[in-house]
Structure formats: C-alpha cells, structure tokens
Amino acid sequence: MTPQAGFMVVAPLTRGRESAVRELLAGMNFEPGRCNPLNSLVPFGRLERLHFARIVVLDDQTLDDISAYGRPREDYPLSVAFLGDFDGDYDSFLKELVAMAGSGLRQIFANCSGFSPGCDLLDWLKSHEQRPATYYANWRGRTVRQCREEAALRRALVDHLQQNPEVASLAAPELRVRLREFVRAEQAADRLTLTPEAPTPFGWRLRNTLHAIFAVPVLAVELLAWGVAALFLLRAREKSDPVIAPRPDPELAARLFALEDHEIKNQFSAIGSLKPGIFRRWTLTVLLAAIDYTARHVYVRGRLARVHTIHFARWVFLDGKKRLFFASNYDGSLESYMDDFINKVAFGLNVVFTNGIGYPRTRWLFLDGAKDEQTFKYYIRRHELATEVWYDGHAGLTALDMQRNTVVRKGMETGPMTNQEADEWAALL
Amino acid sequence: MKEVDFSDVQGMARFGFSHLAECHYLLLRVRNPDAAREWLAAAPVTTAAARKPPPANALQVAFTCAGLRALGVGEEVMAGFSAEFLAGMAGDASRSRRLGDLGENAPENWYWGAPGYRLDALVILMTSHEELAAWKRTVCSGRWEDGFEVLETLTTSDLDGREPFGFIDGISQPVIDWDRRRNVAKDQLDYSNVVSLGELLLGYPNEYGKYTDRPLIDPPAGGASVLHAAEEVPGKRDLGKNGTYLVFRTLEQDVTGFWSFLRHATGSPEAAIRLAEKMVGRTYDKGAPLAPESANAIEGVEAKAGGPENQFTYDADPRGTGCPIAAHIRRANPRNADLAGRPEGLLARVWNLLGGGPKGFQVDVIASTRFHRILRRGREYGQTVAPALAMTGQGVPEPRGLHFICLNANISRQFEFVQNAWIMSGKFSGLPDESDPLLGPVGNQFSMPRQSQCPVRITGLPRFVTVRGGAYLFLPGLRALRYIARAASTVSSQS
C-alpha cells in the first residue's frame, strides 16, 4: 500500500509583485477555473503521483474582523501558497517536482521575498513547508495510477458488454468468469494494465502504528485537561463572541463563481483569524490533533464521518497559530458541499470553526453553529479564497466512482464469490 | 404561532387551479412606471383565501429584479433579495453550468429570457373553458396599455393531466405545513411529505427552523407601513412576507424524437412503453410508482382510492431493480430522511453521525430530501401526440412541452440544488455519468439495474428536452404588491 501525503509551500510576496504573480498564474489556465495540465510553468499532468495541486494567493478579506474584539488589524504580508496531494513519500516527490517544474517554480517564487535566483530550490521549498494540523485523504493507499487504471478497466468492461449482448445477458457468476477471461486477454495484449499494490513502506507502517498507540494517551490527557477548562471558559465566550457573516460581496462572489463547476469536482480554499486569546488557540490545537487522529486511523476508507465527497482536505495553522487555512477537493457544487456540511457534519465543523472570528453562534461547541444555514453559507463564502490555479489528476471521477471501480477490479482479481456477492458485483457494471 | 393570512398570499401558492383549464402567461416589460403602478394598485389579484365555489378566473403577478427596479423599488431594498434572484437565471456562466444550461440549452439560444432580454413582470391569467379572452379584457384594462409592453404571450394546453410525452404529471407534491405545526428541531428519521411553511413562503421558519433572508424595511421608509411586521426582527417590516420565488422555465419536448428513439432502441411499441416507464419511474397508464409500496404510513401522504401513487419510498428498492436509480422521479424526490438506517436513541444517533451507520457503496449518499423540495405549478403547451403515432416518426411538428414553474423560498437550496445535484448530475447517488434520462443528455446513457445480472444500458440517448426560456421571479404577497405599486411615491417622499 502506498500512503498519500501533502505538501504546502507558503511564501510572502515581495511588495508590489501581487499583480505580476496573478498574471503568471492566470497564464497556467485555459480560462479562470480551468487549469492547463501541461502548462509551461508547472506541468502538473506530467507528475504521475499527483492527485491535486493548487496555487492560491492568501488574500484574506476578513482581517478587519478582529476589531470586534477591540484589537488592531494585523498586517500579515500577502503570501502565495502552493499545495498538493500525492502518492508516496515527501522527499522523493519534491525531488520529482523540482526536476519537472524547477524553472517554472523559480519564476513564480522569484516574486517572493527572500528568494534568490541562486538558491537551491529544493531546500527553499522545504524550508517554506507548512505542515497541516489535520490532514484527510478519502481512501488511504489509492494511488493516482490506480484511479486511472481502474477507470480504464471499468470503461473497457462496459464497452465489452455493450458490444457483446450475449455476454451481458449472462447470470452474474458466469458473467464474472467470462469478463475475467476478457480482462486477462486485454492485459496480455497490453490494452489494460492493473498494477499490483506496492508493499507498504516499513518506516511509514512503523510510524503509523506508533502514532495509533501513543497518541491516544497524549490526546486523552490533553482533551481531559482542555475539557475541564472548557467547562468554565467556553459558554461565556460562546454567548458573547460576535457573529460576523454579512451577505458576501457580490463581486467577490462572482469571482469565486467563475472558478467553480467546470467539472464534477471543485476546490475550496479559505482563511480566517482565530478568536484572540490562549483558550481558543488551545481549543483548536487540541481538537485539530484529535480530528487528525481520526483521519489517520479511523476515516481511511471513503468517508469522513458521513461525508463521502471529500477527496483530500487539510487545516493548517499560519502566523504563529493566529490564522487558520483550510483547503479541500470535493465532488459536486459548493452548494451541495455546504449542505453536506450542515446536514451531516455540522458538529465537526462547529468544533473547529467556532474558534475562528465571526462564526455563527455555537452551543457547547458542537451544537447550532452551521445549522444556522444561511449565516453559515455567508460565513463560508466570505472566508473563501479565489484559487488561481487548481489541478485535478483524475478529472471526471468522483470519490464514489473510484470506490466503485476498485470493487469492480477486485471482482476481476479475487477468487470464488457467493452468488449474492456476484450479483452485487455485476450491479456495478 | 400566528395564523397565515391567506388573503395576503397569491392563490397559486396554495392552489393549482386545475379547474381553470385555460391559462396564458404574459411576459411584460414596463413601459411607463406610473401607469404600471396604477394598474397594479387596482389589479384583481387572486388570493389564497378559500372560496366556495372556487373562483371562475384567476390573476397572479410576479416580477423579476429588473421589473422591481423599473417600478422604483430602491437599491437598499433590492439588496435584501437573494443573490440568485438578483443575478437572474441566465445571469452568469457559472449558474448556467450548474443548471446544465449548456450547448443547445444555453441561454443565448433561448426564445425568451436570454441575456439582454429585459423581462420585468409575469402575469398569469387562468379561467375555465373559453373565458380567457373576456378575462384578459377585464384584467388588461385601465392603465394596462400605457403601463406594459407585452413581450410574449405564452399559451398553454390542457392535456388532461398528462405532459406531452404522455405521462401523468404533478403526482407528487410536498404538503405545506399551513397550520405551522411542524417541529424540525430534531433529526427526522422518516421521510415526510410535509415541509415547513418557510420552504414555500418567505417570512416563516424553514426546515432549519430559521427565517430565509428577504428584504426587511424600517417602517418609516415611506409606504412600508402597509407591510406585515417581520416575525423575527422587531421593528422591521417584511417585504418578503407571504411571497415566494417563482422559477419559470420553458422546456420544449421532442415527443416524436422520444418515442421513435425508444421504439428503435427496444424493437416493439410495448417494450418502448416499458422503457419509458423505467425512465420516468411510473407506469404509463395510471402513474403507479415502479418502486414497491411502503407498508409504513408516510406523513403527508393520504391513502387514495386510485392506488398507492405516493405511498412509497426507495428503502425497499435500494439497488433500483424496480425503479432505476437514474429514473426521473427518483432524482426529483429521493424520499429519504436525515439519517440512514433510522438510528433510535441518542447513542445510536451519535454513532450514526460519526459514521457508524449502514455501510456499503451507494449507502447514505443522497442529501436529505426535506431541504430540497419545490412546489410545482407548471402547465403544458402544444398538442399531444399519441405514442403509437409518435413512434412512427409522425405527428404534427409543432412546439410542445412544459412551461415549468416552481415556487420556493430559497432558489439556490431548492430549485438549483435539485436541478444541479439530482436532475442534471451525471453522478447522482453514485451513478457513473448518467443524468436524468428525460431532461439531460449528460453521459447519453440510461441504465436499468436487474436482479442477478449486470444492468441493461441504453446508450446514444439523445436530448429530448430543450430549454427555450427562463427567469427567476418574485411572487409577492398582496401587501407587498401594494407596497410595490406605491414604490415611486416611496422614492420621492424619501428624497
């Protein structure tokens, strides 16, 4: 099994270089929202381990919100973030990235302060890495190659059935036998490839197991200590924290709209400031660690709680935990994504985002909050960032498509099935 | 809980007026705002108050945002309407992508409502047989001529409850909780056909127990005192109260194309009918659902003598061997509840929320239905062609189809969601690239699951329905109409 991981390079732009960078980034797209996978700067499409990537200017529209707490606006430097999700280990992927797109990346980061043309790009990228506090992947071990090969397999099977009605009319068990013969023949003729699963890297497995075990007592103690403090500190804050969620600015909304729904998947990037004070920072640190634990050890097979549409997501602290960045890749439109949030995992969003300035009022961290549907949607839109460049390594495939295709493939590779199993398998064709 | 003032609600929010078989839709542009307002102030708009006998004619009036502006509604008031209404159905490319209005369906190709086509208002006239001309003379009098330019008169036909393909239409409608008894505080474990009043009318709590945003006005702002007070914001007057958004789309149906394709694809007229039934999800003759009848009572579904038309969910047909998952009625109303598997008790619910509910591919993948219901009020146009004739490729080639109208309080969460995530999505419920077989050409295929075999897949499916026009309108309450009719005096008294 090849595990998935992410990278995220964040670097402040040199003053006055914002429009130059935006222009450069716009040149990587066919049109806003549609990235050219073989653009000359970063030809994402050539990176065969890359699931998703995006480049986004962290242009926070909500920096004035902190005045609700009587504090002055913080003038963070405008930064550019380059992040993505890939198969395998970090070091080798970054090496590949630099080899494939070194000159283009230099062109982009030349607009960042502290970047000198003579520097070692790999070192520079690594030194600007921002590790996520929480990282989620839809299906651990499912590689880009696997997604593509299994999609091709299913397409070949469906076409074969279409051209051979006598096969399509067979009962499920016989059908499976016949299709297996077909697949073997196609593989032999090199028209289909189904790469076997790679062995799980020993180091990764060891680290993961140790984390699964030893993070539990640490988290338990932290959660307990925090829980006791929260009993005294939480409700008073929840009752008085201001909600800041006016209707989104129509121009910003239109700019975000233009980037969406070019294919079945979409990206979402957002940023916001934490509520001031050590309690909120502590709360968020502990809870994101707890959620990260579940994402690492529990939600590794297609669902984050009840939500099945998120491919990759991450929460990242910025600026000494004063700000939080969120990024995800999901199926469907933002409206349906937000509805999933509200109706299925409001509690999960609440515990995290209620620590951000302006979030709809929660009760005991878990309750209400996102259930104030319209206010929540305004809040989301208001914190959203216009993602200049977004690449999807398996455009057109939803998480459920990938899940189905994997089951279809298993039916071609595993041994005997009961009749009922065969029926369920045949239904997926 | 305050009772609903039916005399402040336009009638079509409560009644379909199916006894008024004749109906014209007048698409209007304001010529002279003063004259238009004067006409409005005197217009005999039909209300939702029950009348015995039912009215012999009806008049309904709705406005686009251009129309409200033309009549003098101020920008600070306009800003309170929803973003979708303000942008319009054809307002931006992103919306068209989401609605599936691409290619032939793209707004640039519409007969009416295309970008640049300034539609201000919609007047709906309904009467019993052969009374329409007289009713039109009555309604379109006074300052009408000075006030409005009629851009288009969209006529309708009474096809005896069937849509042009021949199926019975409008069988499933949500039941509106007019008595305001519905409690939405808890997760709903069972599918209910009853939805909160606030899903239909503005000014009332919706399925989240919240009030949908709409223009609220400070009372001194001239003319606003005519409006109802906002229920949840003290001191404000509610322009949205008892009003709703009206979504209008002219959907042309290629009836000969439909039946001749099915005839060709299946080889016999009988099989063509069976395939059409699979595409719709109901039988041709009676409109009986293909999904098995549900043994449990469904709130808001009355036992009918004619058969179990709505006494079903898809719980007993999870794989779609009865009613295909891609079928039209299964997409338009998936009839599910908030949580899969009916978890009872707090612990079971928490476990379910954390992801411990029923497992499996395509399990718990559809959004909860109750947040995405619409009330349909459309009518057909053009003449019908019998399937047998249509299958031979004959039939008078004239435009025919459906003037689709639906009412909802939140266009993006209701109409647009249903259209985007359910009807036009190639990925509804985990399907691989096939949209509604009737309404969308996405994927050009339709699959029918079978027991113990792979699904039957119809490929090369052409587009049978083409969007020919559309707009988002606001169907105001009667007091709001009076406010709009006075909007100019409002503006002048403010300045």
Side-chain angles (χ1 to χ4, degrees), chain A residues 154 168-169 172 247 257-258 260-262 299 303 306 308 333 343 373-374 378 396 400-401 404 423 429, chain B residues 79 81 94 97-98 208 213 338-339 354 361 363-365 372 413 420 427 430 432 450 452-453 455 457:
Chain A
R154 185 175 177 284
S169 61
R247 292 267 297 256
F257 259 162
E260 292 168 7
D261 300 305
H262 291 276
Y299 300 124
R303 272 168 205 257
R306 287 177 67 209
H308 58 90
S333 71
N343 298 333
E373 178 231 7
Q374 243 176 345
Y378 293 165
L400 283 179
D401 284 333
R404 176 189 44 246
D423 288 355
L429 292 170
Chain B
F81 284 104
S94 154
R97 287 198 293 274
R98 278 202 305 289
Y208 289 103
D213 275 356
D338 290 356
L339 300 165
L354 291 172
F361 181 68
V363 173
D364 193 18
V365 298
H372 310 288
R413 174 163 60 78
N420 164 261
K427 309 287 186 176
R450 294 182 286 187
S452 316
Q453 278 177 304
R457 183 167 279 110

Side-chain angles (χ1 to χ4, degrees), chain A residues 228-420:
Chain A
V228 171
L231 273 181
F232 297 97
L233 300 175
L234 180 64
R235 281 302 287 151
R237 283 173 167 74
E238 283 188 324
K239 284 177 190 162
S240 65
D241 280 331
V243 174
I244 309 172
R247 292 267 297 256
D249 169 46
E251 265 174 55
L252 175 70
R255 208 149 68 85
L256 295 168
F257 259 162
L259 306 176
E260 292 168 7
D261 300 305
H262 291 276
E263 63 132 331
I264 191 69
K265 288 200 220 72
N266 273 306
Q267 50 70 31
F268 180 76
S269 311
I271 196 165
S273 298
L274 269 67
K275 288 171 179 169
I278 193 167
F279 174 70
R280 290 297 188 176
R281 193 155 74 229
W282 184 28
T283 303
L284 199 49
T285 307
V286 173
L287 292 176
L288 283 180
I291 297 172
D292 187 60
Y293 184 90
T294 62
R296 247 173 113 159
H297 303 294
V298 182
Y299 300 124
V300 295
R301 283 288 178 271
R303 272 168 205 257
L304 181 56
R306 287 177 67 209
V307 177
H308 58 90
T309 52
I310 304 175
H311 291 252
F312 288 91
R314 69 175 87 195
W315 282 273
V316 187
F317 282 117
L318 298 174
D319 308 299
K321 294 198 178 177
K322 283 186 179 166
R323 288 200 292 170
L324 188 70
F325 171 80
F326 174 74
S328 65
N329 305 280
Y330 62 93
D331 299 322
S333 71
L334 187 70
E335 184 72 20
S336 57
Y337 181 56
M338 291 193 291
D339 280 328
D340 264 358
F341 274 173
I342 298 165
N343 298 333
K344 291 183 170 174
V345 284
F347 66 97
L349 289 176
N350 287 348
V351 300
V352 173
F353 289 114
T354 184
N355 301 295
I357 294 176
Y359 189 76
R361 185 146 294 146
T362 51
R363 212 161 24 98
W364 291 112
L365 218 59
F366 293 92
L367 304 171
D368 300 346
K371 294 276 182 189
D372 187 352
E373 178 231 7
Q374 243 176 345
T375 313
F376 172 76
K377 287 176 178 171
Y378 293 165
Y379 172 87
I380 287 278
R381 272 291 187 203
R382 196 161 166 270
H383 285 270
E384 189 180 352
L385 297 166
T387 300
E388 266 84 2
V389 178
W390 179 61
Y391 167 76
D392 173 3
H394 21 58
L397 293 176
T398 62
L400 283 179
D401 284 333
M402 296 173 187
Q403 206 174 319
R404 176 189 44 246
N405 296 347
T406 298
V407 180
V408 168
R409 180 220 188 126
K410 278 208 180 111
M412 293 287 85
E413 291 183 337
T414 52
M417 276 185 178
T418 65
N419 280 355
Q420 200 200 331

Side-chain angles (χ1 to χ4, degrees), chain B residues 152-403:
Chain B
E152 206 88 49
T153 298
L154 304 175
T155 60
T156 65
S157 330
D158 177 13
L159 304 185
D160 215 12
R162 291 180 182 257
E163 48 72 48
F165 292 141
F167 283 83
I168 300 174
D169 196 17
I171 298 175
S172 166
Q173 294 272 28
V175 170
I176 307 298
D177 178 35
W178 293 103
D179 300 333
R180 309 185 66 181
R181 293 210 192 110
R182 186 161 164 78
N183 175 9
V184 292
K186 278 188 181 168
D187 287 323
Q188 308 285 309
L189 295 183
D190 295 298
Y191 166 70
S192 164
N193 195 39
V194 181
V195 296
S196 301
L197 183 54
E199 294 293 303
L200 172 66
L201 296 186
L202 295 163
Y204 300 94
N206 58 25
E207 281 293 310
Y208 289 103
K210 302 280 177 186
Y211 292 80
T212 304
D213 275 356
R214 71 277 183 204
L216 300 181
I217 307 171
D218 291 319
S225 50
V226 70
L227 298 173
H228 276 294
E231 269 189 10
E232 86 285 25
V233 186
K236 294 275 191 185
R237 297 286 168 160
D238 190 344
L239 182 59
K241 183 94 185 185
N242 294 324
T244 177
Y245 291 109
L246 184 154
V247 175
F248 196 152
R249 282 161 83 78
T250 294
L251 305 174
E252 188 173 306
Q253 296 175 242
D254 179 5
V255 176
T256 29
F258 177 75
W259 285 113
S260 51
F261 174 84
L262 297 190
R263 168 76 178 75
H264 185 77
T266 55
S268 79
E270 297 73 29
I273 298 265
R274 281 199 300 277
L275 175 55
E277 289 175 336
K278 284 283 193 181
M279 289 163 75
V280 172
R282 289 186 184 273
T283 60
Y284 178 79
D285 55 348
K286 291 206 170 116
L290 302 187
E293 184 177 340
S294 172
N296 303 325
I298 298 172
E299 188 189 13
V301 173
E302 283 171 38
K304 278 193 191 153
E309 289 172 342
N310 280 304
Q311 178 54 41
F312 67 101
T313 66
Y314 300 102
D315 293 349
D317 185 20
R319 275 167 53 186
T321 47
C323 178
I325 290 169
H328 175 68
I329 68 161
R330 193 158 181 163
R331 290 171 177 270
N333 179 6
R335 296 170 185 250
N336 65 357
D338 290 356
L339 300 165
R342 287 196 101 261
E344 305 240 27
L346 183 65
L347 274 181
R349 277 223 302 282
V350 169
W351 183 242
N352 189 291
L353 283 175
L354 291 172
K359 294 272 183 330
F361 181 68
Q362 287 183 317
V363 173
D364 193 18
V365 298
I366 303 174
S368 181
T369 306
R370 68 187 174 106
F371 302 104
H372 310 288
R373 298 298 302 275
I374 53 177
L375 186 67
R376 290 172 299 149
R377 287 291 188 240
R379 294 199 177 213
E380 289 78 20
Y381 67 95
Q383 291 311 307
T384 198
V385 188
L389 187 64
M391 283 181 205
T392 63
Q394 293 169 32
V396 185
E398 59 156 359
R400 48 174 71 84
L402 177 68
H403 290 306

Side-chain angles (χ1 to χ4, degrees), chain A residues 11-51:
Chain A
L13 287 169
T14 313
R15 223 168 260 283
R17 302 302 295 164
E18 184 190 345
S19 56
V21 158
R22 287 194 196 269
E23 207 170 300
L24 209 55
L25 298 180
M28 299 169 73
N29 293 327
F30 292 126
E31 63 174 312
R34 274 183 65 227
C35 164
N36 173 0
L38 297 177
N39 72 84
S40 58
L41 284 182
V42 188
F44 301 111
R46 294 218 174 85
L47 294 156
E48 293 190 342
R49 293 153 62 188
L50 183 63
H51 288 268

